[in-house]
Amino acid sequence: MTGKQHARLLGLFFWLFTAFNLLIVAVIAVLYISIFGFVFTQAPQRAGDPDPAVIMTILIAVFAFVLIFTVMFSIPKMVAGYGLRNEKTWARVWSIVACVMAVMSFPLGTALGVYGLIFLLGDEGKRYFESIEYGRLTSENPSLSTAPPPDSWR
């Protein structure tokens, strides 16, 4: 694989990993809220028990906080994925930060983070990001054209 292919694949992996994390947190939140909602509506109330609506409100607030926290930690991965897929000059720095954050999420995040760090800090990644061609658009991305050759006006 070329450096460009590694970078594009790593960007795609960042997006997929982020989507997977957000999906898992949302599914767990819905399951817990549904299960606890069912339990609290079916459980008999005693005189000293707290109101089930208060407990459900606290549970929903906790899961909202967890979801917001997950989204905040997903932002560097999404930005790194965008930068890698579009050959932005700042993509390498964001990707290193995203890889370090992903390593803490065992096992998929660890695999993604280690793969990314090996590529980004290895010789192939350094050659790719430091090459003259990095960030230039090719025939795959015709929205911008390359500069004309010197003395092309003659």
Side-chain angles (χ1 to χ4, degrees), residues 7-146:
R8 291 185 58 80
L9 183 65
L10 185 61
L12 178 65
F13 283 161
F14 279 137
W15 285 348
L16 291 175
F17 181 66
T18 300
F20 180 72
N21 280 344
L22 292 173
L23 178 70
I24 292 296
V25 168
V27 166
I28 289 173
V30 168
L31 282 174
Y32 270 76
I33 291 170
S34 299
I35 290 170
F36 280 110
F38 178 75
V39 167
F40 289 142
T41 58
Q42 301 300 320
Q45 282 286 113
R46 287 187 239 145
D49 289 347
D51 185 26
V54 173
I55 296 173
M56 286 303 294
T57 304
I58 292 170
L59 188 65
I60 291 170
V62 166
F63 277 112
F65 175 76
V66 169
L67 188 62
I68 290 170
F69 197 73
T70 304
V71 168
M72 285 178 25
F73 271 83
S74 298
I75 290 172
K77 295 178 202 94
M78 294 297 289
V79 170
Y82 172 79
L84 286 171
R85 305 250 332 143
N86 294 306
E87 294 187 14
K88 300 295 181 185
T89 56
W90 41 262
R92 186 169 187 227
V93 174
W94 277 90
S95 299
I96 291 171
V97 170
C99 284
V100 169
M101 290 173 68
V103 165
M104 294 182 275
S105 181
F106 184 79
L108 296 177
T110 303
L112 173 63
V114 169
Y115 167 71
L117 288 173
I118 288 172
F119 167 65
L120 294 167
L121 301 176
D123 291 335
E124 186 177 356
K126 287 180 183 176
R127 275 194 310 271
Y128 173 65
F129 287 105
E130 293 171 359
S131 72
I132 294 173
E133 295 300 316
Y134 178 72
R136 289 201 176 175
L137 298 170
T138 61
S139 61
E140 294 175 345
N141 194 356
S143 62
L144 294 176
S145 60
T146 57

